[in-house]
Amino acid sequence: MLTSVPRRRAFAAPQAREKCLIGALFILTLAALLAPALPAAAWHIPHFVDSRPWLGVPNAGDVLSNLAFLAMGVWGTERLRARNDAPVGASWFFVGLILTCAGSGFYHLDPDAPQRLVADRLGMAVAFAGFLGIAVSERVSARAGEAVLVLMMVGGLLAAWVARENLTPWVVVQFGGMALAVGLALTRPRPGALGVPLGGVIFFYVLAKLFELGDVTIFEATGHLVSGHTLKHLAAALAAWPVVRALRPVATGLAPSPH
């Protein structure tokens, strides 16, 4: 009888926040499936302002700045080893950052080849699914976090693949998912949550988008020192810092032995 209690709770009726989450996901799904198609060719940026090579690496600033994703992904993965209370999706979030380093670096070696964008977006989809799993498990429930992780993983990977011809599902995943995260950030953490500061992750995400839009402006303003797109990669990688910080080792509180 004792072992059956958790199973009954797992299939309990949806709570109020879970019902709101289901409604939001339903709306996003309809938007991804029914909204007008956005042709991928019209949105592809074939050229970034900083194309300078360095040590034989073409577009070195935009390529090598992806190493920041690798650093944050490895750091976060190491933090997870010492914690058994990490929120749902944390491991996939850090794996996604490592994949983003590989995919984005591969794309920026030759950004004139739009087919390389698939590799870039696949890593981002994994990281984004992991982040939404964290956000939902922190603010709604662990079971909802697990469901959203799987749903966004599948939906994000499919959207990244379909984006070769139709960008609409990818736009819904990226911006609709972030709107969902903003809504969750405005609610209180559920009892027993780790306390990941979602607002910090969102801040660095928005900052990265601003850097992306100001690629040329920043390049000119800094005297061709660094481009906005290079800074975008660094800011996007820093979005993992609030999660890594929340996973810092817990002090044992044990007093040293006098012997």
Side-chain angles (χ1 to χ4, degrees):
M1 292 181 64
L2 290 176
T3 57
S4 64
V5 172
R7 295 180 181 178
R8 292 178 182 177
R9 289 180 180 176
F11 293 98
Q15 304 169 1
R17 290 190 182 185
E18 291 177 332
K19 291 179 180 179
C20 293
L21 177 64
I22 292 172
L25 292 174
F26 180 72
I27 293 173
L28 291 178
T29 302
L30 288 181
L33 295 177
L34 302 179
L38 295 174
W43 289 76
H44 175 61
I45 303 175
H47 176 72
F48 299 96
V49 65
D50 189 2
S51 59
R52 295 173 296 181
W54 184 65
L55 297 179
V57 179
N59 311 308
D62 292 343
V63 172
L64 299 179
S65 56
N66 285 289
L67 292 174
F69 291 112
L70 176 62
M72 298 302 291
V74 172
W75 188 15
T77 301
E78 287 299 316
R79 280 287 177 92
L80 286 176
R81 295 176 183 272
R83 301 295 297 258
N84 57 5
D85 59 344
V88 172
S91 59
W92 283 108
F93 176 61
F94 296 125
V95 168
L97 292 178
I98 296 173
L99 293 176
T100 298
C101 171
S104 182
F106 174 71
Y107 165 62
H108 283 287
L109 284 172
D110 185 11
D112 291 325
Q115 64 271 19
R116 290 189 174 219
L117 267 173
V118 176
D120 185 14
R121 290 170 176 153
L122 288 177
M124 294 170 58
V126 174
F128 203 63
F131 170 62
L132 285 180
I134 292 172
V136 172
S137 65
E138 284 276 300
R139 303 303 171 98
V140 181
S141 66
R143 68 176 182 178
E146 293 172 353
V148 168
L149 173 64
V150 174
L151 177 63
M152 294 304 298
M153 185 76 71
V154 175
L157 292 176
L158 288 176
W161 183 258
V162 172
R164 297 175 302 159
E165 299 178 357
N166 177 17
L167 272 176
T168 296
W170 179 250
V171 170
V172 171
V173 166
Q174 190 173 29
F175 294 101
M178 188 52 62
L180 176 61
V182 171
L184 292 170
L186 297 176
T187 64
R188 293 182 178 180
R190 66 178 180 85
L194 184 62
V196 176
L198 304 181
V201 179
I202 295 169
F203 168 79
F204 284 111
Y205 177 84
V206 173
L207 184 62
K209 283 299 179 183
L210 293 177
F211 282 144
E212 181 179 32
L213 293 174
D215 187 28
V216 177
T217 302
I218 294 173
F219 191 62
E220 296 295 335
T222 60
H224 297 183
L225 178 64
V226 65
S227 71
H229 202 85
T230 295
L231 293 179
K232 173 214 172 177
H233 291 160
L234 300 178
L238 281 175
W241 181 77
V243 182
V244 173
R245 185 175 182 275
L247 292 168
R248 62 188 180 276
V250 179
T252 59
L254 297 177
S257 172
H259 302 288

